[in-house]
Amino acid sequence: MFAVLRIALGICSVLFLLAGLFLIAAGGPPIVSGLWLLALGGIGLVIVAFETRRYRSEAAELDHDSVGGAGVDEATPEPRFRPTKERFMDPTTRKLVRVWMDPGTGERRYRLDDDTTR
């Protein structure tokens, strides 16, 4: 579902860019509208380009990992990672996920939470 939304946003953004370029090339009063369309189209393309990096690791994206948007790892993270109090329900699997973080770098990992207390 999210892939379809990304594609739709990408197509709309490109159409905004093209419409903005057309209005600017036409000259006259619509130049301001053309600039707004260029800005909206550019922002949309930036969102499409960086949205997946915000919620998924590149490895999870390339592997088409089926375990939610977090790239959940079933193994215990390296010793440098510490469990945080942050937990969430994976929207794909409906399983509880805990966030682990490396205090030195701020890097985050996601692991299925084996703690059954909520």
Side-chain angles (χ1 to χ4, degrees), residues 71-88:
V72 176
D73 186 8
E74 303 245 1
T76 302
E78 302 166 39
R80 63 187 172 108
F81 287 92
R82 304 283 179 258
T84 67
K85 293 182 180 180
E86 184 179 352
R87 298 188 312 176
F88 61 92

Side-chain angles (χ1 to χ4, degrees), residues 12-118:
C12 288
S13 297
V14 169
L15 291 175
F16 281 5
L17 285 171
L18 292 174
L21 289 173
F22 176 77
L23 287 175
I24 290 171
I31 287 179
V32 174
S33 298
L35 291 173
W36 272 108
L37 287 172
L38 278 178
L40 288 174
I43 290 169
L45 287 178
V46 167
I47 289 171
V48 168
F50 292 105
E51 182 268 338
T52 57
R53 295 174 190 229
R54 167 70 174 92
Y55 295 105
R56 290 175 58 101
S57 69
E58 188 172 336
E61 189 69 23
L62 291 174
D63 291 342
H64 302 290
D65 190 4
S66 63
V67 186
V72 176
D73 186 8
E74 303 245 1
T76 302
E78 302 166 39
R80 63 187 172 108
F81 287 92
R82 304 283 179 258
T84 67
K85 293 182 180 180
E86 184 179 352
R87 298 188 312 176
F88 61 92
M89 188 68 66
D90 185 306
T92 304
T93 63
R94 297 284 185 217
K95 293 183 179 179
L96 194 59
V97 175
R98 180 172 300 276
V99 178
W100 291 59
M101 187 176 80
D102 178 354
T105 64
E107 182 181 354
R108 297 161 60 96
R109 298 277 171 92
Y110 306 93
R111 182 178 182 272
L112 292 178
D113 194 14
D114 53 9
D115 181 12
T116 57
T117 61
R118 290 189 184 191

